[in-house]
């Protein structure tokens, strides 16, 4: 092989914070067979980010890694290698390894399904779709295309744009446009009913309050932007790194990032403090993951020092896009062209860790960085109640039109009947006689136009039939509800210190109407904290022996220079296996055990980080990795005496039963979704080279040789056993490589990794060629324990009438086992399993399942197959379907059959499903029913279904915060779903439903009061009520009590709601808000408005009291009536509610008195004259009493003769507080949860 002019014998670096061991011979130093005169430098390829693999062989972060790597950590003179491939070949074959004795070569094609289209090197970058960046020359870079600066802006408004843009956004609500039109009409002289200022004030107040809220939120964004943009970074200026504000950094500039600092923009790495070019970064600010990832600089730029030599070159990269896991570019430096991938770029927001410094060139800045392009929030959703409310608003609008039509039509009749008397009638005169000497004529437009103008004037007078204050009230109530949900201590996770988060304020009430819950398994139902449970090694099952926790004894440790190093986490070990692992005697069994645990310790991307303890002589090794599965395997290997203690990009050091051994990492093929396995090529101290492979059983048994069929059969049986008890499984194998095989792999790998087109596919092909004819070593079983309270939570949801579906990527056996342990499945349930390998097979099995379901339903007497009971009903069905079947079913005519079958089942469990399939299953229910859906998950693969569902809940788990960032609500544990839905969801729905109906009622009472008065004033639309009282009625007189009650009232206690989950069915049946309640409320409104109007009218009939005094009486009587109406519905009184309700009545009296005390306003001193009459006070007492009679009678009859579940439970609470009724174990009969909701 050709020699290189690159410098040789650079010492292999050590991972920061790793242990400083005495010198260990390298593979090249152990090669005693001679060497060539020239050495080959490290292949000029970069290494990818460290990535992990879970036990079910899914990318943990779903990243798109296709960048190949070949990193020389220690370039040495060439050595020779004596082939041990075949006993028949005794001749010594010289194979030039160059520096490969300590080179790490990484193959990555790890890609999430949703980003398949973003793979790097799939095609050459088109010049029209590329950006050209001249390294260290920002002027030339921005000469042709002026790229965006590095200043970021997350705020919505500027000082100039705030008013027009905020008004534009607010007027997206049709009701606001309606009130604006009304206010404009009132400005016309022909239509003026109220004062011009008073007509605009209600809308102005609502717009002003919303604008203040929006301005405050945006001001906080502006402050954050200012702090971020004014941070300082080191930028190369005139050959020196100088501080520069982030907002002034330009694309093309070279910058230096110190350790523990965040990246100001997206940079391509040029060099790092590590001689091999590795940099460790934390992406918690980008995707929420706290584990370290690795990025690499190219070999060609690694040794360049920007402060000592001029660096120039060109980077041709793709245009800015949102794909944070992909990057496609080519770089040309010193006439050499090389490809760049995701492992060569560090994104804005990442933080440099365990690396002293990193130098790179800015390629994306400011708003064009991937972090900013992905900074969109959760999707906007509207609540079910608000959607239904629009229906009632349309009905009220029609009612308003009807009232206006009646008034205008009657006015037209009146005009015709009195056409000869119009000059001097008291309510309508053509001529003005206020000045006897100058009689002026009013404008009279004829009967037709007068009727039209009267119609428009009636719309203005009756405008509050559409309650403008309802929108602002709903926002305030939701904020108050969110405050109490966030502060709920029973939804606080002490383990992760995670509080409940309310990320979407507009769908709080939807939490009380959920019918379907779609849940991920790993990290949602389970802890996602993996623990090595058992192993099958070369056909021997080590899961049946006795085990102990390492906490019972001293854990495995290593002593180095008077310091003790031990793993940070203690795990369970099998005593028999522990003895065999320590007592290796050269037997076949001992050899297999040795290789098995060596594979666990070496075949991974774990980085050991040393941390301090209270004892200065004791250090802990924390294994950092992206996959909890890999961490569990490495910790278990350490517990059995194979402790990984050091990793660099070129070698690893493993303490094997007290003997430190160094293994050169010659190549590393990362896990990808196509191969579903990973492999590492190690150079051993005895000059042998072996490849270790681990992966899914479906991917591994196809590459394992069949020399030991008994071992393979036994291993498969053990895998089935492990899966059946809910363990996550991996298969491990190895193969020894001879010289020719290694040389062929090396040349193929270098050719594939330097390809500019189709690199990912070529690298996968190289990996597949080396991963064959593997000798099986065994299999591992990892336990992912259920989270605390999951079985009880699922049982509570089931009793509440909520169907729980589990959508997981795990194997079917594992998912079924978790289903049983979580009480999702029961032994009494009949399981329907659909595993179809073709569309016809899926169709046949669906039809068979539907036929069987209908037969069982007929045999059971037609009882609904729902889950209102505990799941022990033998007629209940459970559907289990895999992802392969869903490929043929979703988006085809079979969807309808799957939907019909799923509706007959109490439980649906989907296995081996992809993220988009999860979203498809949610859409299956959402698009075909009116039932509310909720999706809950913790990982990036759950984002799709979280966004598709009506309500999305994220869990702050081990897989990052992607799910939380895309969710509407966030919790720390699955069990918190129970108080969130059954308690807060129920309260929120009940409060909001009552509040909407009350707002319709109180506004309709006022409108009908004005309507009755119009009938007695020749339909002239004059009002006895002052314009200020009309305006303040919805803003001050009656608005505050409904907001307070909407936030604080509780129809039932938390204890009752949790004890009787059936009570949740009230929301599913829409008991608090439906068409029937709306019409009953409107009927009650007509009666109460008539009482408020006619009783005072009758009391003052044929008296000398003026219209203003009567108007004040009507105002006060109406306010007292509607507040007492609200008080009748309050369940749990407190001093705040007393203050709000009775205080509003007092405030109304004060405001009416104050208005009548102003001499320039109409009705001066009128209320004082009215109060001096006993009839005034008799009316104030009699009106509410008479008005409330029908409501009181209806409430009594309905609650006494046909009480609802809520009313029964409320009575139970009442007697329980008196200590006489409910006893432990007593039963309260509830309605069937499956009762259909009222017709819409």
């Amino acid at each position: 092989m050709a020699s290189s002019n690159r410098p040789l014998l650079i010492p292999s670096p050590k991972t920061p914070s790793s242990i400083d061991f005495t010198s260990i011979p390298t593979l090249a130093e152990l090669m005693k067979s001679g060497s060539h005169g020239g050495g080959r430098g490290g292949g000029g390829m970069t290494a990818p980010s460290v990535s992990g693999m879970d036990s079910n062989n899914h990318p943990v972060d779903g990243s798109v890694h296709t960048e190949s790597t070949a990193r020389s950590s220690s370039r040495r003179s060439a050595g020779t290698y004596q082939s041990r491939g075949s006993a028949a070949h005794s001749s010594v074959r010289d194979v030039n390894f160059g520096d490969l004795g300590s080179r790490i070569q990484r193959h990555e094609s790890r890609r999430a399904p949703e980003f398949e289209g973003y793979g790097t090197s799939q095609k050459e970058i088109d010049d029209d779709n590329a950006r050209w960046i001249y390294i260290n020359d920002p002027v030339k870079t921005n000469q042709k295309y002026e790229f965006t600066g590095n200043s970021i802006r997350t705020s919505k408004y500027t000082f100039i744009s705030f008013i027009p843009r905020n008004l534009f956004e607010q007027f997206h609500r049709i009701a606001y446009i309606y009130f604006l039109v009304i206010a404009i009409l009132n400005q016309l002289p022909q239509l003026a009913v109220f004062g011009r200022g008073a007509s605009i004030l209600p809308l102005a107040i609502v717009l002003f309050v919303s604008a203040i809220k929006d301005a405050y939120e945006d001001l906080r964004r502006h402050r954050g932007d200012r702090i971020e943009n004014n941070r300082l970074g080191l930028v190369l200026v005139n050959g020196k790194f100088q501080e520069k504000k982030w907002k002034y950094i330009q694309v093309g500039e070279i910058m230096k990032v110190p350790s523990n600092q965040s990246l100001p923009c997206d940079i391509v790495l040029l060099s790092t403090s590590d001689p091999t070019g590795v940099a460790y970064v934390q992406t918690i600010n980008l995707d929420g993951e706290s584990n370290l990832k690795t990025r690499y600089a190219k070999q060609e730029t690694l040794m360049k020092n920007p402060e000592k030599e001029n660096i120039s070159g060109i980077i041709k990269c793709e245009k800015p896009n949102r794909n944070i896991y992909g990057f496609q570019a080519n770089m040309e430096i010193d006439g050499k062209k090389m490809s760049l991938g995701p492992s060569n770029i560090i994104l804005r927001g990442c933080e440099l860790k365990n690396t002293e410094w990193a130098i790179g060139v800015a390629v994306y800045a400011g708003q064009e960085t991937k972090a900013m392009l992905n900074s969109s929030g959760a999707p906007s959703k509207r609540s079910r109640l608000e959607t239904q409310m629009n229906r009632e608003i349309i009905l009220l609008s029609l009612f308003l039109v009807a009232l206006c039509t009646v008034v205008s039509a009657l006015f037209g009749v009146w005009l015709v009947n009195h056409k000869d008397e119009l000059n001097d009638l008291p309510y309508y005169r053509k001529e003005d006689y206020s000045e006897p000497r100058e009689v002026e004529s009013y404008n009279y437009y004829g009967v037709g136009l007068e009727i039209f103008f009267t119609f428009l004037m009636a719309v203005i007078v009756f405008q509050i039939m559409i309650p403008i204050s309802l929108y602002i009230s709903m926002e305030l109530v939701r904020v108050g509800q969110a405050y109490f949900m966030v502060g709920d201590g029973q939804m606080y996770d002490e383990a992760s210190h995670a509080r409940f988060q309310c990320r979407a304020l507009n769908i709080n009430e939807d939490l009380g109407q959920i019918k379907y819950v779609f849940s991920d398994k790993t990290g949602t139902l389970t802890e996602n904290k993996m623990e090595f449970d058992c192993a099958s090694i070369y056909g021997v099952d080590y899961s049946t022996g006795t085990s102990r926790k390492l906490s019972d004894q001293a854990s495995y440790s290593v002593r180095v220079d008077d310091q003790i190093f031990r793993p940070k986490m203690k795990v369970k070990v099998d005593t028999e296996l522990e003895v065999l692992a320590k007592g290796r005697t050269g037997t076949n069994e001992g050899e297999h055990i040795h290789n098995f645990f060596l594979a666990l310790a070496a075949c991974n991307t774990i980085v050991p980080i040393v941390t301090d303890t209270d004892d200065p002589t004791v250090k802990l090794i924390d294994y950092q990795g992206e996959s909890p599965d890999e961490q569990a395997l490495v910790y278990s290997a350490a517990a059995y005496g194979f402790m990984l203690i050091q990793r660099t990009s070129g070698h690893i050091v493993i303490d094997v039963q007290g003997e430190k051994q160094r293994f050169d990492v010659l190549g590393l093929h990362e896990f990808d979704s196509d191969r579903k396995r990973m492999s590492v090529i190690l150079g051993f101290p005895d000059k042998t080279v072996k490849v270790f492979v681990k992966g899914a059983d479906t991917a591994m048994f196809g590459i394992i040789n069949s020399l030991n069929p008994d071992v393979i059969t036994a291993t498969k049986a053990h895998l089935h056993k492990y899966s059946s008890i809910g363990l996550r499984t991996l298969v491990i194998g190895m193969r020894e490589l001879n010289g020719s095989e290694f040389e062929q792999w090396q040349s193929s790998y270098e050719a594939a990794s330097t390809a500019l087109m189709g690199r990912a596919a070529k690298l996968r092909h190289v990996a597949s060629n080396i991963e064959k004819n593997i000798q099986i070593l065994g299999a591992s079983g990892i336990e992912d324990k259920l989270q605390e309270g999951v079985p009880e939570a699922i049982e509570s949801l089931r009793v509440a009438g909520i169907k729980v579906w589990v959508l997981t990527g795990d194997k079917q056996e594992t998912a079924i086992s978790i289903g049983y342990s979580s009480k999702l499945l029961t032994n009494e349930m009949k399981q329907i399993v659909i595993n179809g390998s073709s569309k016809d097979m899926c169709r046949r099995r669906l039809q068979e399942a539907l036929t069987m379901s209908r037969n069982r339903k007929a045999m059971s007497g037609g009882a609904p197959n729902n889950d209102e009971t505990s799941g022990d009903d033998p007629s209940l069905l459970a559907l289990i379907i895999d992802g392969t079947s869903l490929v043929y079913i979703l988006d085809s005519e079979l969807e309808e059959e799957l939907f019909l079958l799923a509706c007959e089942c109490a439980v649906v469990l989907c296995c081996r499903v992809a993220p988009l399939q999860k979203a498809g299953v949610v859409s299956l229910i959402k698009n075909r029913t009116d039932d509310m859906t909720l999706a809950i998950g913790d990982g990036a693969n759950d984002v799709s279904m979280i966004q598709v569902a009506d309500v999305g809940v994220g869990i702050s788990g081990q897989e990052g915060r992607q799910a939380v960032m895309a969710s509407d609500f966030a919790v720390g544990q699955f069990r918190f779903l129970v108080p969130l839905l059954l308690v807060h969801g129920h309260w929120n729905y009940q409060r909001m439903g009552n509040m909407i109906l009350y707002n319709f009622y109180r506004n309709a009472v006022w409108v009908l009061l004005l309507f009755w008065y119009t009938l007695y004033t020749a339909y002239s639309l004059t009002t006895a009520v002052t314009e200020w009282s009309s305006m303040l009625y919805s803003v001050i007189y009656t608005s505050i009590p409904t907001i307070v009650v909407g936030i604080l009232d509780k129809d039932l206690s938390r204890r009752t709601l949790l004890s009787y989950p059936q009570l949740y069915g009230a929301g599913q049946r829409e008991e608090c808000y439906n068409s029937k309640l709306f019409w009953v409320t409107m009927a009650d409104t007509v009666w109460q408005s008539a009482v408020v109007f006619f009783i005072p009218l009758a009391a003052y009939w044929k008296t000398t009291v003026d219209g203003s005094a009567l108007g004040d009486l009507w105002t006060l009587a109406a306010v007292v009536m509607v507040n007492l109406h609200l008080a009748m519905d309050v369940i749990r009184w407190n001093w705040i509610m007393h203050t709000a309700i009775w205080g509003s009545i007092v405030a109304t009296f004060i405001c009416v008195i104050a208005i009548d005390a102003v001499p320039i306003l109409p009705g001066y001193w009128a209320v004082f004259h009215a109060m001096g009459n006993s009839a005034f006070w008799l009316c104030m007492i009699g009106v509410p009493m008479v008005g409330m009679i029908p409501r009181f009678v209806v409430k009594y009859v309905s609650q006494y003769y046909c009480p609802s579940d809520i009313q029964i439970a409320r009575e139970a609470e009442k007697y329980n507080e008196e200590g006489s009724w409910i006893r432990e174990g007593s039963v309260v009969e509830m309605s069937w949860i499956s009762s259909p909701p009222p017709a819409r």
Side-chain angles (χ1 to χ4, degrees), residues 228 231 246 257-258 260-265 285 349-352:
E228 188 78 1
R231 295 177 66 177
W246 279 19
V257 182
N260 298 319
Q261 295 294 317
S262 295
L263 274 292
C265 56
N285 293 329
C350 296
E351 190 170 325
L352 195 66

Side-chain angles (χ1 to χ4, degrees), residues 277-298:
V278 64
Y280 296 95
V281 296
Q282 191 176 65
T283 61
I284 191 169
N285 293 329
L286 191 64
D287 57 16
E289 297 183 2
S290 58
N291 293 322
L292 298 182
K293 300 178 177 64
T294 50
R295 298 292 182 264
Y296 297 86
K298 282 293 185 180

Side-chain angles (χ1 to χ4, degrees), residues 765-784:
H765 180 69
V766 171
S768 298
N769 285 339
I770 200 68
E771 297 167 349
K772 60 184 180 182
N773 198 28
I774 300 297
Q775 174 190 354
I776 189 170
L777 291 177
S780 63
I782 298 176
E783 181 181 9
D784 187 7

Side-chain angles (χ1 to χ4, degrees), residues 135-199:
I135 300 176
N136 201 23
D137 193 346
V139 177
K140 189 175 182 180
T141 298
N142 293 271
Q143 187 174 13
K144 184 176 181 181
Y145 302 106
E146 185 174 352
F147 300 129
T148 181
N150 199 44
S151 177
I152 61 138
R153 176 184 161 192
T154 60
S155 58
K156 294 174 58 177
Y157 311 106
T158 64
F159 181 78
I160 297 176
S161 69
F162 174 75
I163 293 179
R165 183 173 178 182
N166 185 262
L167 288 176
F168 175 77
E169 291 177 351
Q170 290 201 58
F171 277 104
H172 274 70
R173 282 178 167 164
I174 303 300
Y176 287 7
I177 298 177
Y178 162 79
F179 284 104
L180 178 64
V181 172
I182 296 297
I184 293 174
L185 290 176
N186 195 69
Q187 307 306 307
L188 301 177
Q190 298 89 341
L191 306 177
V193 177
F194 303 113
R196 291 186 173 127
S199 65

Side-chain angles (χ1 to χ4, degrees), residues 1104-1180:
T1104 58
V1105 68
D1106 62 356
S1108 296
L1110 198 55
D1112 291 336
L1113 175 56
W1114 282 327
T1115 299
L1116 294 171
V1119 170
V1120 171
M1121 174 80 77
V1122 297
N1123 278 285
L1124 288 177
H1125 178 106
L1126 178 64
M1128 284 185 65
D1129 291 333
V1130 173
I1131 307 303
R1132 297 180 185 273
W1133 286 90
N1134 54 49
W1135 69 269
I1136 300 178
M1137 291 188 186
H1138 281 292
T1139 302
I1141 293 177
W1142 313 126
S1144 292
I1145 295 177
V1146 173
T1148 302
F1149 274 88
I1150 294 174
C1151 289
V1152 170
I1153 292 173
I1155 292 171
D1156 282 2
V1158 178
I1160 62 174
L1161 295 179
Y1164 175 64
W1165 219 249
V1167 71
F1168 297 99
H1169 291 303
M1171 287 182 177
N1173 192 327
S1174 59
F1176 176 90
W1177 299 107
L1178 290 174
C1179 287
M1180 291 301 302

